[in-house]
Amino acid sequence: MDIKQLKFLIALDETRHFGQAAARCHITQPTLSMRLRSLEEELDLPLVNRGQRFEGFTAPGERVLAWARTVLAAYDGLQAEAAACRGNLVGTLRLGVVPLSSFDPLALMQQLHKEHPSLRFELSALSSEQILEQLASNRLDLGVSYLERLDNERFDSLALGETRMGLLYDQRFFSFGDTPLSWEALIELPLGMLTSGMHFRQSIDHNFHSRGLHPQPLLQTDAVHQLLQAVHGGLCCAVMPLDGGLDALTEHLRLQPIENAQTLARLGLIMRRSAPRSALAEACFALYQKSQTAP
């Protein structure tokens, strides 16, 4: 067994296609199939359901796949740790961010890339539950998520700024003047919202319901880009993070502050506590701490 076999297994899971997995790994399809069969023979387990095409993993294959991801993450972490000991940072920083976060990771990534040009980034939009799960299983290095009910024995965190909310609209279709809007005024508007259960939506619902208001959204979606498209097209307005920079996406979008509008919980930069801990995550954590204490 070697690292390449585990990479082949993960590539097959991500592409769900033998040919595409082989192309991603820069090998031929017969070579991929042969190496995976060798892995099955060594483990004495069938891992892949084969027909004329890929038909998924067996139950043992799914369990081995989870271990393969853990081993590969540890291998990448070892390489990054060795580079860090030499004074360099290499590899890929895997960062998960909750939808509609007011924290813009771009400045942090730009600073890291400036200091460590060989560093690469993988940015994922995930729910708060997915972020904690993937941090715990070492599939993410860092997360930006809500600190509500965070297990401080398992995770380190740095609190980020308070997330204030505003109304995003296209000025070609709506106009609201310069004063902050009330929640009572929003109830009369065509609103687009993320689907129920998402943390940002829960904060919106709380602000409405605590005032005895019950909005009937025109559009609900679990995709932020679809919500932005609907706002840009004039179909609706949407409650969004006030400091997230969304109004800079086009010249027509505006963000109007809403009175007394904050999310229920604060955001934080989160890192797992237990070893093996990513050297990339520790460097990013330290850089953010430094930026917050600098005059």
Side-chain angles (χ1 to χ4, degrees), residues 95-107:
L95 178 63
V97 182
V98 290
L100 297 184
S101 165
S102 60
F103 176 75
D104 184 0
L106 179 60

Side-chain angles (χ1 to χ4, degrees), residues 19 23 26 55 66 86 130-131 150 157 177 185 192-193 215 223 256 260 275 284:
H26 308 292
E55 296 180 356
R86 297 192 300 269
Q130 288 172 320
I131 287 174
L150 182 69
S157 64
M193 295 186 182
Q256 191 82 0
N260 302 315
C284 189

Side-chain angles (χ1 to χ4, degrees), residues 82-131:
C85 291
R86 297 192 300 269
N88 302 316
L89 285 182
V90 299
T92 301
L93 178 71
R94 302 161 299 170
L95 178 63
V97 182
V98 290
L100 297 184
S101 165
S102 60
F103 176 75
D104 184 0
L106 179 60
L108 192 58
M109 291 190 294
Q110 286 175 328
Q111 184 63 32
L112 280 166
H113 182 62
K114 180 180 178 181
E115 296 183 12
H116 307 282
S118 298
L119 195 58
R120 298 292 180 264
F121 303 93
E122 184 178 296
L123 190 61
S124 303
L126 302 167
S127 70
S128 53
E129 292 81 7
Q130 288 172 320
I131 287 174

Side-chain angles (χ1 to χ4, degrees), residues 242-255:
L242 189 59
D243 303 312
L246 295 175
D247 52 336
L249 293 176
T250 79
E251 60 180 319
H252 302 299
L253 293 178
R254 294 291 182 272
L255 259 170

Side-chain angles (χ1 to χ4, degrees), residues 43-292:
L43 296 175
D44 194 23
L45 286 171
L47 304 178
V48 180
N49 291 318
R50 294 175 175 85
Q52 291 186 337
R53 58 180 61 88
F54 175 73
E55 296 180 356
F57 291 93
T58 64
E62 292 286 356
R63 297 177 66 173
V64 169
L65 181 64
W67 277 103
R69 290 189 180 280
T70 300
V71 170
L72 197 59
Y75 174 81
D76 291 341
L78 186 152
Q79 297 286 350
E81 188 72 30
C85 291
R86 297 192 300 269
N88 302 316
L89 285 182
V90 299
T92 301
L93 178 71
R94 302 161 299 170
L95 178 63
V97 182
V98 290
L100 297 184
S101 165
S102 60
F103 176 75
D104 184 0
L106 179 60
L108 192 58
M109 291 190 294
Q110 286 175 328
Q111 184 63 32
L112 280 166
H113 182 62
K114 180 180 178 181
E115 296 183 12
H116 307 282
S118 298
L119 195 58
R120 298 292 180 264
F121 303 93
E122 184 178 296
L123 190 61
S124 303
L126 302 167
S127 70
S128 53
E129 292 81 7
Q130 288 172 320
I131 287 174
L132 294 182
E133 176 191 348
Q134 293 193 27
L135 284 171
S137 60
N138 209 15
R139 286 180 288 163
L140 283 179
D141 300 304
L142 284 176
V144 175
S145 185
Y146 297 100
L147 298 178
E148 185 180 42
R149 296 189 296 273
L150 182 69
D151 186 347
N152 294 312
E153 292 186 357
R154 299 177 62 200
F155 302 100
D156 287 328
S157 64
L158 292 172
L160 303 176
E162 185 177 65
T163 302
R164 298 181 300 144
M165 295 187 283
L167 185 74
L168 185 70
Y169 65 95
D170 191 305
Q171 63 177 346
R172 293 173 297 177
F173 305 99
F174 300 92
S175 179
F176 300 106
D178 298 322
T179 58
L181 298 169
S182 68
W183 288 97
E184 287 77 10
L186 300 188
I187 202 75
E188 305 297 331
L189 297 174
L191 292 176
M193 295 186 182
L194 293 177
T195 49
S196 298
M198 301 183 79
H199 200 289
F200 196 81
R201 170 64 186 274
Q202 292 173 2
S203 293
I204 295 173
D205 288 344
H206 172 77
N207 277 284
F208 275 122
H209 297 164
S210 65
R211 293 169 174 82
L213 304 171
H214 301 280
Q216 299 295 322
L218 176 63
L219 168 69
Q220 296 188 77
T221 177
D222 61 358
V224 174
H225 75 277
Q226 290 180 338
L227 194 52
L228 293 174
Q229 287 175 336
V231 172
H232 188 256
L235 176 66
C236 59
C237 306
V239 179
M240 295 286 195
L242 189 59
D243 303 312
L246 295 175
D247 52 336
L249 293 176
T250 79
E251 60 180 319
H252 302 299
L253 293 178
R254 294 291 182 272
L255 259 170
Q256 191 82 0
I258 302 171
E259 295 176 347
N260 302 315
Q262 297 86 28
T263 53
L264 292 170
R266 294 190 69 171
L267 285 168
L269 192 63
I270 303 172
M271 174 174 63
R272 61 181 280 165
R273 277 196 165 189
S274 59
R277 190 157 81 170
S278 164
L280 304 184
E282 291 179 339
C284 189
F285 227 60
L287 181 63
Y288 184 76
Q289 280 183 307
K290 182 179 177 181
S291 71
Q292 297 305 293

